[in-house]
Amino acid sequence: MQRGKISFGKINLNLSKPPAAAGNESQPQAGPSDGGGFKKIDKNQMIKQIEDVTEDLEAQRLKEVMGLTGFGRKTAKVFDINEQIAKAKEVAPAPPPASDEDDDDDEDIIGPLPSMASGDNGGETKEPSKKPSKNSDDDEDDDDDDDDEDEDLEKKIPDSHEVKMQHGSKAILALAGDPAGARLVSGSIDYEVSFWDFAGMDSSMRSFRTIQPCENYPIRDLHYSITGDMILVISGNSQAKILDRDGFEKMECVKGDLYITDMSKTKGHTAQLTSGCWHPYTKEEFLTAAMDGTLRIWKGIKNKEQHTVIKIRAQGGLKTNASSCAYNRDATLIAAGCIDGSIQMWDTRKMFVNTTHCLRGAHQKGSEITSIMFSYLGQQLATRCNDETMKLWDIRSFKQPLHVWSNLYSRYDTTDCCFSPDDKILVTGESLAKGEKEANLHFYNTQTFEEIKRIAVTDSHIIKTLWHPKLNQLFVGCGNGVIKCYYDEQRSLRGAKLCAVKKYRKKRQVEVVGVSQIITPHALPMFRQEKSGSSRKKMEKDRLDPVKSRRPDLPITSGQGGRVASSGGTLSSYVIRNLGLSKRVDDDQDPREAILKYAKEAEENPYWIAPAYKQTQPKPVFSSGTEGGADGDDDGDDEPGNKKAKKE
């Protein structure tokens, strides 16, 4: 503990006053060489104040360790009391003779007793002798803490259980997880993208949808947006695509003009895409990198043209290509790993003409920087390259890497690395070298740079690694089309734990019994079996049968040319025939003739209506079609004469 610094109170050094008499035991002795002294003070009070200063110094040290010194109200001014006393010795004049008035002068403001200015300090002067032994104990404790910390980091790795998901038979080049942790999407070199839903899967671990969004182009990179409702698809094509959550296309970027040399004048990329990523907090903004030497920022789904073009230059000013790109966590920097081995960064708050950070020769020239990844705090940067190295960088001092891990063989140009959610562990995989049987997943400590653990994953290459921060699960994409998920039963949440415990229900298989046909050409018709012809002919034959085809009743035909429908076809005739009438009603005859047929019988033998209206009913006269009336009495005077022919 540093006892020379205090940060509170007020010290009154009265250098002009002489020290007190030697006979007074309660006043500390200060000679001429001391350059001054303190006021009269009780010994017990002095010890109590020193203890208070010690406690305050310990509290101040604790705040510094916890990082709380910069918050809250302003602290008191910190100064070195030993330095102040040394300066006072040099400039102080000789003390005058002692006087009784100074002895009797008592003031309230009293400072603590410095160790070097006290002549007889009791037990307090023995504390510096104990300090080396205390430091040695602290060193031992620090070593023990480091060992415990390494053990704790190893326990934080979720690898107690593992499950396997089969994407296909080709290498998996892209892997992305939903921010909410509900879904996983994987892309392969076989042009297919598979969607995995943890809540809907069982222990068989089968994807619920597989599509080919970019036809015959391998899927190089996949990224979920910050809201999880859109997926950025980076393929071997020059046009990036945006899919919705279920795999339906929402947008396709515009392809640039191949005949324009100035890349800032084209509307899109003109060469194969290499990488891409979403903006950390803007919903419809994303970044793409391609082999045409540019990075392009796209804003909006409806606007299919790019918003900003960033040109990448090599050391001589020539064009170079970016093999990977990334945003930092607060979107103030855009980083690109280039094929010439350089790492270039641009500040998004400025123009993209010049780089903010540019480090030439960060990796071997001609080897692709397959992955560039910012830490969650944003102070560190990890790069993975095909020169069999992985490097950790501090952005605040970007000239030299913090550490370099070598002998990490990488065969694919999409091999990546990732940080743990607390930024204490860096994870990467290696490709399977010739003569080896298993590829390993390596875990490194970002503070001590030591290897924490190594997990043997598969007998193929390890290309993609994803440590989901919300699920606390590790997803590893392999070269044989297998996705392995590692999780811990206690520390991991949901995800693969949901579907690993669900039992796979087998579907009932329908038993099909084959019937052998016996051909009997001369059998009787009642025992003859039908020939097994084609199903189409049998269906056409059944179609003609009204019983087998369940043909409905045909509609009735309507009358034509003034004729009514056929007898029994109308509703009235159907009702009359079913009422039990003995005589059949013929609907074909004229209704007027049918009524006149009963006129004579009704007149001779009236039954209902005629007797009721006998007194008032006029005599009915019917026209029978002849010149006379119905009874033959009328002379036909009332009938109109024949129509005269028209004069020509």
Side-chain angles (χ1 to χ4, degrees):
M1 182 184 298
Q2 298 180 359
R3 296 185 177 276
K5 292 185 178 181
I6 59 176
S7 60
F8 78 104
K10 181 178 179 182
I11 292 181
N12 185 10
L13 290 178
N14 192 354
L15 301 177
S16 62
K17 294 183 180 181
N24 193 358
E25 295 179 357
S26 63
Q27 185 177 2
Q29 300 292 331
S33 61
D34 292 336
F38 291 91
K39 297 295 180 179
K40 183 178 179 181
I41 187 171
D42 187 32
K43 186 175 182 180
N44 295 330
Q45 186 179 1
M46 176 184 65
I47 295 174
K48 183 178 179 181
Q49 289 182 356
I50 292 176
E51 290 177 354
D52 293 339
V53 172
T54 304
E55 292 178 358
D56 290 337
L57 289 175
E58 291 178 355
Q60 183 70 19
R61 177 62 177 170
L62 181 61
K63 289 183 179 180
E64 292 179 357
V65 172
M66 295 178 66
L68 300 175
T69 55
F71 300 96
R73 62 180 184 178
K74 294 183 179 180
T75 57
K77 185 177 180 180
V78 179
F79 58 91
D80 193 352
I81 185 63
N82 296 332
E83 183 180 357
Q84 296 291 335
I85 293 176
K87 290 182 179 180
K89 288 181 181 179
E90 296 176 359
V91 298
S99 62
D100 295 337
E101 295 179 357
D102 295 335
D103 296 338
D104 297 335
D105 189 8
D106 295 329
E107 294 182 3
D108 296 334
I109 301 176
I110 300 175
L113 181 65
S115 59
M116 65 177 294
S118 61
D120 185 10
N121 200 16
E124 285 77 12
T125 56
K126 297 180 181 179
E127 290 185 2
S129 61
K130 297 179 181 179
K131 192 172 182 179
S133 61
K134 187 175 180 180
N135 291 335
S136 61
D137 295 339
D138 292 340
D139 294 339
E140 294 177 358
D141 294 340
D142 292 340
D143 296 338
D144 295 339
D145 293 340
D146 293 338
D147 297 338
D148 295 340
E149 186 177 356
D150 293 339
E151 293 178 0
D152 293 340
L153 289 179
E154 186 175 354
K155 292 179 181 178
K156 289 182 179 180
I157 299 174
D159 62 339
S160 62
H161 297 71
E162 69 174 79
V163 291
K164 183 173 70 173
M165 297 180 286
Q166 188 71 38
H167 173 92
S169 59
K170 299 296 181 66
I172 296 175
L173 302 181
L175 204 62
D178 185 12
R183 288 187 178 181
L184 183 76
V185 62
S186 59
S188 176
I189 203 173
D190 59 358
Y191 325 131
E192 292 185 349
V193 174
S194 295
F195 294 82
W196 313 81
D197 189 3
F198 296 115
M201 287 192 301
D202 52 15
S203 58
S204 62
M205 307 297 286
R206 296 179 181 176
S207 62
F208 72 92
R209 181 166 297 161
T210 300
I211 61 174
Q212 289 186 1
C214 301
E215 297 179 353
N216 296 329
Y217 290 99
I219 308 300
R220 294 181 54 87
D221 208 353
L222 293 169
H223 288 278
Y224 269 98
S225 63
I226 188 64
T227 55
D229 60 342
M230 292 183 291
I231 303 172
L232 174 63
V233 181
I234 304 296
S235 64
N237 193 6
S238 60
Q239 297 171 267
K241 283 191 176 183
I242 304 295
L243 306 179
D244 65 357
R245 187 175 179 82
D246 296 324
F248 298 101
E249 183 177 336
K250 297 188 67 174
M251 173 193 169
E252 184 178 14
C253 296
V254 179
K255 186 177 181 179
D257 194 347
L258 298 173
Y259 298 98
I260 297 178
T261 57
D262 190 359
M263 289 292 103
S264 62
K265 302 299 181 182
T266 60
K267 298 180 180 180
H269 287 290
T270 60
Q272 173 188 344
L273 297 174
T274 57
S275 181
C277 62
W278 284 97
H279 195 276
Y281 52 82
T282 303
K283 183 179 179 181
E284 295 182 350
E285 181 177 347
F286 59 95
L287 173 71
T288 57
M291 299 294 288
D292 57 1
T294 61
L295 298 174
R296 296 178 189 264
I297 301 175
W298 310 75
K299 290 185 178 180
I301 300 300
K302 296 181 180 180
N303 186 14
K304 296 184 179 181
E305 297 181 6
Q306 83 271 352
H307 181 266
T308 307
V309 180
I310 305 173
K311 296 182 180 180
I312 307 172
R313 299 297 181 186
Q315 189 165 6
L318 299 177
K319 181 175 69 175
T320 186
N321 299 324
S323 56
S324 59
C325 61
Y327 277 102
N328 64 342
R329 301 297 171 179
D330 55 355
T332 56
L333 287 176
I334 293 177
C338 305
I339 294 179
D340 63 345
S342 64
I343 300 175
Q344 302 183 25
M345 296 187 191
W346 293 267
D347 194 339
T348 57
R349 297 163 293 185
K350 301 178 181 178
M351 300 293 291
F352 296 101
V353 178
N354 297 321
T355 58
T356 304
H357 302 284
C358 183
L359 184 61
R360 307 288 181 183
H363 284 275
Q364 184 178 347
K365 188 176 182 180
S367 299
E368 295 94 343
I369 299 177
T370 59
S371 176
I372 184 166
M373 182 68 66
F374 283 94
S375 63
Y376 286 90
L377 293 177
Q379 297 177 356
Q380 292 180 338
L381 180 72
T383 55
R384 183 80 163 86
C385 186
N386 275 344
D387 58 358
E388 301 185 7
T389 61
M390 181 177 66
K391 297 184 179 182
L392 183 64
W393 309 82
D394 191 346
I395 300 178
R396 295 167 294 185
S397 58
F398 197 57
K399 294 183 179 180
Q400 294 295 330
L402 295 176
H403 192 75
V404 179
W405 292 278
S406 57
N407 298 326
L408 297 173
Y409 175 58
S410 175
R411 180 180 176 183
Y412 291 87
D413 58 351
T414 57
T415 305
D416 66 347
C417 58
C418 64
F419 284 92
S420 63
D422 57 357
D423 287 341
K424 293 183 179 180
I425 303 175
L426 188 60
V427 189
T428 188
E430 62 178 358
S431 299
L432 190 66
K434 189 175 182 180
E436 296 183 359
K437 296 183 179 180
E438 288 182 333
N440 297 318
L441 194 65
H442 300 270
F443 297 85
Y444 297 102
N445 191 340
T446 57
Q447 298 176 355
T448 61
F449 313 121
E450 297 178 356
E451 186 174 4
I452 302 172
K453 197 171 186 178
R454 182 181 300 182
I455 299 176
V457 178
T458 181
D459 56 353
S460 182
H461 311 286
I462 298 177
I463 305 173
K464 303 297 287 187
T465 54
L466 173 64
W467 192 327
H468 200 286
K470 194 168 185 179
L471 301 179
N472 194 23
Q473 297 178 6
L474 267 169
F475 298 95
V476 183
C478 305
N480 53 3
V482 175
I483 303 172
K484 283 203 172 182
C485 174
Y486 293 90
Y487 65 93
D488 191 280
E489 192 68 27
Q490 304 295 331
R491 298 176 182 268
S492 300
L493 301 173
R494 300 188 303 275
K497 290 177 63 179
L498 296 176
C499 47
V501 296
K502 293 182 181 179
K503 293 183 179 180
Y504 172 63
R505 295 182 180 180
K506 295 184 179 180
K507 297 181 179 180
R508 294 182 179 179
Q509 297 180 357
V510 180
E511 296 182 359
V512 179
V513 180
V515 179
S516 60
Q517 184 180 7
I518 300 174
I519 300 174
T520 55
H522 302 291
L524 295 175
M526 60 183 302
F527 299 109
R528 188 177 299 167
Q529 295 181 1
E530 296 182 359
K531 295 181 181 180
S532 59
S534 63
S535 60
R536 182 176 180 181
K537 289 183 178 181
K538 187 177 181 181
M539 185 180 64
E540 290 177 354
K541 186 178 180 180
D542 294 342
R543 182 70 177 171
L544 297 176
D545 189 357
V547 177
K548 291 184 178 180
S549 63
R550 298 179 181 180
R551 186 182 68 183
D553 295 335
L554 296 176
I556 60 175
T557 58
S558 60
Q560 294 179 356
R563 296 180 181 180
V564 296
S566 60
S567 177
T570 61
L571 178 62
S572 60
S573 62
Y574 176 79
V575 172
I576 291 172
R577 281 198 303 171
N578 286 276
L579 286 178
L581 296 178
S582 58
K583 295 182 179 181
R584 182 179 177 184
V585 179
D586 295 330
D587 294 336
D588 295 338
Q589 61 182 351
D590 189 8
R592 184 173 178 274
E593 293 179 358
I595 295 173
L596 291 176
K597 186 169 57 176
Y598 298 100
K600 185 177 181 180
E601 184 180 357
E603 184 181 359
E604 293 177 353
N605 187 17
Y607 186 73
W608 294 110
I609 300 175
Y613 297 97
K614 188 175 181 181
Q615 302 295 331
T616 59
Q617 184 70 18
K619 185 177 180 180
V621 177
F622 298 100
S623 176
S624 60
T626 60
E627 293 181 358
D631 297 334
D633 297 336
D634 296 333
D635 296 335
D637 297 336
D638 297 335
E639 294 182 2
N642 294 331
K643 294 182 179 180
K644 295 180 180 181
K646 294 181 179 180
K647 295 180 181 182
E648 293 180 359

